[in-house]
mmCIF file of all heavy atoms in Angstrom:
data_model
loop_
_atom_site.group_PDB
_atom_site.id
_atom_site.type_symbol
_atom_site.label_atom_id
_atom_site.label_comp_id
_atom_site.label_asym_id
_atom_site.label_seq_id
_atom_site.Cartn_x
_atom_site.Cartn_y
_atom_site.Cartn_z
ATOM 1 N N ARG A 374 -2.452 -3.172 34.442
ATOM 2 C CA ARG A 374 -3.681 -3.678 33.842
ATOM 3 C C ARG A 374 -3.268 -4.629 32.743
ATOM 4 O O ARG A 374 -2.535 -4.259 31.819
ATOM 5 C CB ARG A 374 -4.493 -2.523 33.264
ATOM 6 C CG ARG A 374 -5.862 -2.443 33.906
ATOM 7 C CD ARG A 374 -6.602 -1.265 33.450
ATOM 8 N NE ARG A 374 -7.248 -1.516 32.168
ATOM 9 C CZ ARG A 374 -8.074 -0.660 31.598
ATOM 10 N NH1 ARG A 374 -8.334 0.477 32.199
ATOM 11 N NH2 ARG A 374 -8.630 -0.920 30.442
ATOM 12 N N ARG A 496 -12.760 6.526 40.652
ATOM 13 C CA ARG A 496 -12.465 5.152 40.237
ATOM 14 C C ARG A 496 -11.081 4.778 40.747
ATOM 15 O O ARG A 496 -10.130 5.528 40.527
ATOM 16 C CB ARG A 496 -12.472 5.026 38.701
ATOM 17 C CG ARG A 496 -13.827 5.281 38.107
ATOM 18 C CD ARG A 496 -13.832 5.101 36.603
ATOM 19 N NE ARG A 496 -15.129 5.552 36.089
ATOM 20 C CZ ARG A 496 -15.476 5.577 34.811
ATOM 21 N NH1 ARG A 496 -14.618 5.150 33.901
ATOM 22 N NH2 ARG A 496 -16.659 6.000 34.440
ATOM 23 N N GLU A 498 -8.526 3.351 39.830
ATOM 24 C CA GLU A 498 -7.857 2.861 38.625
ATOM 25 C C GLU A 498 -6.617 2.040 38.986
ATOM 26 O O GLU A 498 -5.867 2.418 39.890
ATOM 27 C CB GLU A 498 -7.437 4.037 37.737
ATOM 28 C CG GLU A 498 -8.590 4.888 37.219
ATOM 29 C CD GLU A 498 -9.265 4.298 35.997
ATOM 30 O OE1 GLU A 498 -8.865 3.202 35.552
ATOM 31 O OE2 GLU A 498 -10.212 4.938 35.498
ATOM 32 N N VAL A 505 -3.351 13.997 34.318
ATOM 33 C CA VAL A 505 -4.800 14.057 34.549
ATOM 34 C C VAL A 505 -5.598 13.252 33.532
ATOM 35 O O VAL A 505 -6.824 13.296 33.525
ATOM 36 C CB VAL A 505 -5.312 15.517 34.585
ATOM 37 C CG1 VAL A 505 -4.714 16.243 35.780
ATOM 38 C CG2 VAL A 505 -5.012 16.252 33.291
ATOM 39 N N PHE A 506 -4.897 12.511 32.659
ATOM 40 C CA PHE A 506 -5.643 11.664 31.715
ATOM 41 C C PHE A 506 -6.364 10.540 32.464
ATOM 42 O O PHE A 506 -7.506 10.218 32.165
ATOM 43 C CB PHE A 506 -4.712 11.068 30.647
ATOM 44 C CG PHE A 506 -5.467 10.200 29.691
ATOM 45 C CD1 PHE A 506 -6.185 10.769 28.651
ATOM 46 C CD2 PHE A 506 -5.519 8.829 29.862
ATOM 47 C CE1 PHE A 506 -6.931 9.980 27.793
ATOM 48 C CE2 PHE A 506 -6.271 8.032 29.007
ATOM 49 C CZ PHE A 506 -6.968 8.615 27.968
ATOM 50 N N ARG A 507 -5.680 9.929 33.411
ATOM 51 C CA ARG A 507 -6.319 8.852 34.172
ATOM 52 C C ARG A 507 -6.131 9.120 35.653
ATOM 53 O O ARG A 507 -5.045 8.968 36.192
ATOM 54 C CB ARG A 507 -5.733 7.490 33.775
ATOM 55 C CG ARG A 507 -6.547 6.323 34.315
ATOM 56 C CD ARG A 507 -6.072 5.001 33.772
ATOM 57 N NE ARG A 507 -6.239 4.899 32.332
ATOM 58 C CZ ARG A 507 -7.401 4.688 31.714
ATOM 59 N NH1 ARG A 507 -8.499 4.543 32.407
ATOM 60 N NH2 ARG A 507 -7.456 4.606 30.403
ATOM 61 N N MET A 508 -7.201 9.550 36.293
ATOM 62 C CA MET A 508 -7.131 9.925 37.702
ATOM 63 C C MET A 508 -8.022 9.010 38.530
ATOM 64 O O MET A 508 -8.873 8.313 38.001
ATOM 65 C CB MET A 508 -7.616 11.372 37.873
ATOM 66 C CG MET A 508 -6.853 12.371 37.038
ATOM 67 S SD MET A 508 -7.843 13.834 36.758
ATOM 68 C CE MET A 508 -7.460 14.766 38.217
ATOM 69 N N PHE A 511 -11.985 12.382 39.475
ATOM 70 C CA PHE A 511 -12.038 13.219 38.282
ATOM 71 C C PHE A 511 -13.440 13.784 38.124
ATOM 72 O O PHE A 511 -14.319 13.507 38.938
ATOM 73 C CB PHE A 511 -11.591 12.431 37.045
ATOM 74 C CG PHE A 511 -12.398 11.179 36.776
ATOM 75 C CD1 PHE A 511 -13.410 11.168 35.842
ATOM 76 C CD2 PHE A 511 -12.133 10.010 37.469
ATOM 77 C CE1 PHE A 511 -14.160 10.021 35.593
ATOM 78 C CE2 PHE A 511 -12.872 8.857 37.234
ATOM 79 C CZ PHE A 511 -13.876 8.864 36.299
ATOM 80 N N GLN A 513 -16.761 14.568 35.582
ATOM 81 C CA GLN A 513 -17.445 14.206 34.339
ATOM 82 C C GLN A 513 -18.516 15.227 33.992
ATOM 83 O O GLN A 513 -19.106 15.846 34.873
ATOM 84 C CB GLN A 513 -18.141 12.842 34.500
ATOM 85 C CG GLN A 513 -17.175 11.676 34.524
ATOM 86 C CD GLN A 513 -17.902 10.348 34.527
ATOM 87 O OE1 GLN A 513 -18.882 10.175 35.250
ATOM 88 N NE2 GLN A 513 -17.434 9.389 33.736
ATOM 89 N N GLU A 515 -21.860 14.862 31.925
ATOM 90 C CA GLU A 515 -22.652 13.825 31.262
ATOM 91 C C GLU A 515 -24.057 14.314 30.955
ATOM 92 O O GLU A 515 -24.626 15.133 31.678
ATOM 93 C CB GLU A 515 -22.759 12.580 32.157
ATOM 94 C CG GLU A 515 -21.424 11.898 32.376
ATOM 95 C CD GLU A 515 -21.548 10.461 32.859
ATOM 96 O OE1 GLU A 515 -22.217 10.237 33.890
ATOM 97 O OE2 GLU A 515 -20.995 9.573 32.213
ATOM 98 N N GLU A 580 -9.338 8.204 24.188
ATOM 99 C CA GLU A 580 -10.714 8.666 24.386
ATOM 100 C C GLU A 580 -10.768 9.931 25.243
ATOM 101 O O GLU A 580 -10.171 9.990 26.315
ATOM 102 C CB GLU A 580 -11.513 7.555 25.093
ATOM 103 C CG GLU A 580 -12.861 8.015 25.597
ATOM 104 C CD GLU A 580 -13.651 6.910 26.292
ATOM 105 O OE1 GLU A 580 -13.270 5.728 26.185
ATOM 106 O OE2 GLU A 580 -14.659 7.241 26.935
ATOM 107 N N VAL A 581 -11.504 10.916 24.738
ATOM 108 C CA VAL A 581 -11.800 12.074 25.588
ATOM 109 C C VAL A 581 -13.281 12.064 25.969
ATOM 110 O O VAL A 581 -13.667 12.536 27.032
ATOM 111 C CB VAL A 581 -11.367 13.403 24.903
ATOM 112 C CG1 VAL A 581 -12.050 13.608 23.566
ATOM 113 C CG2 VAL A 581 -11.649 14.602 25.789
ATOM 114 N N GLU A 582 -14.104 11.467 25.087
ATOM 115 C CA GLU A 582 -15.547 11.427 25.342
ATOM 116 C C GLU A 582 -16.133 10.135 24.797
ATOM 117 O O GLU A 582 -15.667 9.615 23.785
ATOM 118 C CB GLU A 582 -16.213 12.639 24.649
ATOM 119 C CG GLU A 582 -17.732 12.603 24.658
ATOM 120 C CD GLU A 582 -18.377 13.972 24.526
ATOM 121 O OE1 GLU A 582 -17.663 14.959 24.281
ATOM 122 O OE2 GLU A 582 -19.619 14.043 24.677
ATOM 123 N N GLY A 583 -17.149 9.643 25.478
ATOM 124 C CA GLY A 583 -17.846 8.449 24.994
ATOM 125 C C GLY A 583 -19.299 8.788 24.691
ATOM 126 O O GLY A 583 -19.953 9.527 25.435
ATOM 127 N N HIS A 585 -22.874 6.797 23.960
ATOM 128 C CA HIS A 585 -23.385 5.427 24.086
ATOM 129 C C HIS A 585 -24.889 5.380 23.873
ATOM 130 O O HIS A 585 -25.600 6.281 24.321
ATOM 131 C CB HIS A 585 -23.105 4.878 25.498
ATOM 132 C CG HIS A 585 -21.691 5.071 25.940
ATOM 133 N ND1 HIS A 585 -21.344 5.856 27.009
ATOM 134 C CD2 HIS A 585 -20.538 4.596 25.429
ATOM 135 C CE1 HIS A 585 -20.026 5.845 27.155
ATOM 136 N NE2 HIS A 585 -19.516 5.092 26.209
ATOM 137 N N SER A 622 -20.776 11.423 27.412
ATOM 138 C CA SER A 622 -20.025 11.462 28.670
ATOM 139 C C SER A 622 -18.591 11.904 28.401
ATOM 140 O O SER A 622 -17.828 11.199 27.738
ATOM 141 C CB SER A 622 -20.043 10.060 29.290
ATOM 142 O OG SER A 622 -19.226 10.043 30.435
ATOM 143 N N VAL A 623 -18.260 13.076 28.912
ATOM 144 C CA VAL A 623 -16.926 13.622 28.638
ATOM 145 C C VAL A 623 -16.231 13.959 29.951
ATOM 146 O O VAL A 623 -16.860 14.409 30.904
ATOM 147 C CB VAL A 623 -17.033 14.850 27.687
ATOM 148 C CG1 VAL A 623 -17.845 15.980 28.286
ATOM 149 C CG2 VAL A 623 -15.667 15.353 27.267
ATOM 150 N N GLY A 624 -14.933 13.683 30.004
ATOM 151 C CA GLY A 624 -14.166 13.964 31.218
ATOM 152 C C GLY A 624 -13.618 15.387 31.167
ATOM 153 O O GLY A 624 -12.937 15.755 30.207
ATOM 154 N N ASP A 626 -11.358 16.699 33.023
ATOM 155 C CA ASP A 626 -9.893 16.727 33.150
ATOM 156 C C ASP A 626 -9.230 16.359 31.827
ATOM 157 O O ASP A 626 -8.224 16.950 31.443
ATOM 158 C CB ASP A 626 -9.462 15.762 34.254
ATOM 159 C CG ASP A 626 -10.247 16.016 35.518
ATOM 160 O OD1 ASP A 626 -9.862 16.899 36.282
ATOM 161 O OD2 ASP A 626 -11.288 15.356 35.726
ATOM 162 N N ARG A 627 -9.838 15.397 31.129
ATOM 163 C CA ARG A 627 -9.265 15.030 29.822
ATOM 164 C C ARG A 627 -9.446 16.159 28.819
ATOM 165 O O ARG A 627 -8.599 16.345 27.946
ATOM 166 C CB ARG A 627 -9.896 13.739 29.296
ATOM 167 C CG ARG A 627 -9.358 12.532 30.023
ATOM 168 C CD ARG A 627 -9.737 11.232 29.358
ATOM 169 N NE ARG A 627 -9.463 10.131 30.280
ATOM 170 C CZ ARG A 627 -9.729 8.862 30.029
ATOM 171 N NH1 ARG A 627 -10.263 8.508 28.880
ATOM 172 N NH2 ARG A 627 -9.448 7.933 30.928
HETATM 173 P P1 ATP B 248 -11.098 4.444 29.641
HETATM 174 O O1 ATP B 248 -11.411 3.323 28.674
HETATM 175 O O2 ATP B 248 -10.096 5.432 29.114
HETATM 176 O O3 ATP B 248 -10.815 3.992 31.024
HETATM 177 P P2 ATP B 248 -13.883 4.630 30.034
HETATM 178 O O4 ATP B 248 -14.399 4.069 28.739
HETATM 179 O O5 ATP B 248 -13.855 3.789 31.234
HETATM 180 O O6 ATP B 248 -12.432 5.285 29.775
HETATM 181 P P3 ATP B 248 -16.244 6.134 30.534
HETATM 182 O O7 ATP B 248 -16.696 5.218 31.592
HETATM 183 O O8 ATP B 248 -16.939 6.095 29.200
HETATM 184 O O9 ATP B 248 -14.661 5.963 30.322
HETATM 185 O O10 ATP B 248 -16.234 7.603 31.130
HETATM 186 C C1 ATP B 248 -16.581 8.732 30.357
HETATM 187 C C2 ATP B 248 -15.480 9.741 30.327
HETATM 188 O O11 ATP B 248 -14.994 10.012 31.643
HETATM 189 C C3 ATP B 248 -14.260 9.302 29.547
HETATM 190 O O12 ATP B 248 -14.410 9.562 28.174
HETATM 191 C C4 ATP B 248 -13.169 10.147 30.144
HETATM 192 O O13 ATP B 248 -13.125 11.432 29.536
HETATM 193 C C5 ATP B 248 -13.607 10.311 31.590
HETATM 194 N N1 ATP B 248 -12.856 9.393 32.443
HETATM 195 C C6 ATP B 248 -13.107 8.095 32.685
HETATM 196 N N2 ATP B 248 -12.218 7.586 33.548
HETATM 197 C C7 ATP B 248 -11.363 8.592 33.860
HETATM 198 C C8 ATP B 248 -10.233 8.710 34.715
HETATM 199 N N3 ATP B 248 -9.806 7.683 35.426
HETATM 200 N N4 ATP B 248 -9.595 9.901 34.797
HETATM 201 C C9 ATP B 248 -10.023 10.964 34.086
HETATM 202 N N5 ATP B 248 -11.097 10.917 33.272
HETATM 203 C C10 ATP B 248 -11.769 9.760 33.156
#
Side-chain angles (χ1 to χ4, degrees):
R374 239 175 83 174
R496 295 182 188 178
E498 298 278 1
V505 295
F506 180 80
R507 192 172 296 284
M508 303 157 86
F511 58 99
Q513 287 186 316
E515 295 199 305
E580 168 180 347
V581 58
E582 171 156 8
H585 311 116
S622 175
V623 61
D626 309 276
R627 284 192 194 177

